[in-house]
Amino acid sequence: MSTEHTRIDYLSFTKAAPEVYAALSAIGKAVADSGLEKSLTELIKVRVSQMNGCAFCIQYHLNAARQIGLEAVKLDLVAGWRDAGIFSAREQAALAWAECLTALATQGAPDAVYETLRSQFTETEVTFLTVAIGAINFWNRLGVGLRFSPPIPRTEGRL
């Protein structure tokens, strides 16, 4: 894959700003250790990355989701989750919250969405889910701004 479009390579970023990379990694570890389902957090990260147009993060989290066995049909339909009819109430609540927090400027974080979220998650789970959403939005801004090249698996065809 050509990296001509890349402004700063992902590995160069990690070397140039190791403290930032370590801090973001620590947030990711805290979310991973929180007890939230890994499949749920990866689904959220894919959806938020789609909304933000971050090719690096979309591919990175699709790779991670596939590695943990997240159903391919959910990955295929996450962009249209409202109409797909295959997502659990818990997944739908989390996806709705993720979309609200990603599009804060246009829709805010409505009470109705939060109340639905609270009906499916504990306060601690809401806290870590919100942190996960914030963190992936931050990563998306880095990935889009610096144009990290997507980590396409070697087994897939190259364009």
Side-chain angles (χ1 to χ4, degrees), residues 95-114:
L95 287 162
W97 187 239
E99 287 186 356
C100 285
L101 296 185
T102 301
L104 277 174
T106 59
Q107 66 187 22
D111 289 339
V113 176
Y114 182 78

Side-chain angles (χ1 to χ4, degrees), residues 16-95:
E19 299 86 357
V20 174
Y21 177 74
L24 288 169
S25 295
I27 292 170
K29 182 176 179 351
V31 170
D33 294 345
S34 72
L36 282 173
E37 307 94 300
K38 183 74 171 157
S39 60
L40 179 69
T41 58
E42 289 303 326
L43 199 60
I44 294 308
K45 292 172 186 178
V46 169
R47 180 64 190 126
V48 168
S49 298
Q50 288 173 335
M51 291 177 69
N52 288 324
C54 183
F56 176 88
C57 293
I58 292 167
Q59 188 65 63
Y60 182 93
H61 292 289
L62 284 172
N63 294 347
R66 290 180 183 118
Q67 285 179 342
I68 62 168
L70 204 147
E71 297 171 66
V73 68
K74 287 190 175 182
L75 294 174
D76 294 342
L77 293 173
V78 69
W81 65 268
R82 282 183 177 81
D83 297 322
I86 63 167
F87 294 91
S88 69
R90 188 168 165 92
E91 290 167 332
Q92 290 179 56
L95 287 162

Side-chain angles (χ1 to χ4, degrees), residues 59 62-63 66-67 150-159:
Q59 188 65 63
L62 284 172
N63 294 347
R66 290 180 183 118
Q67 285 179 342
I152 297 172
R154 294 203 183 275
T155 58
E156 293 187 17
R158 305 276 181 173
L159 297 178

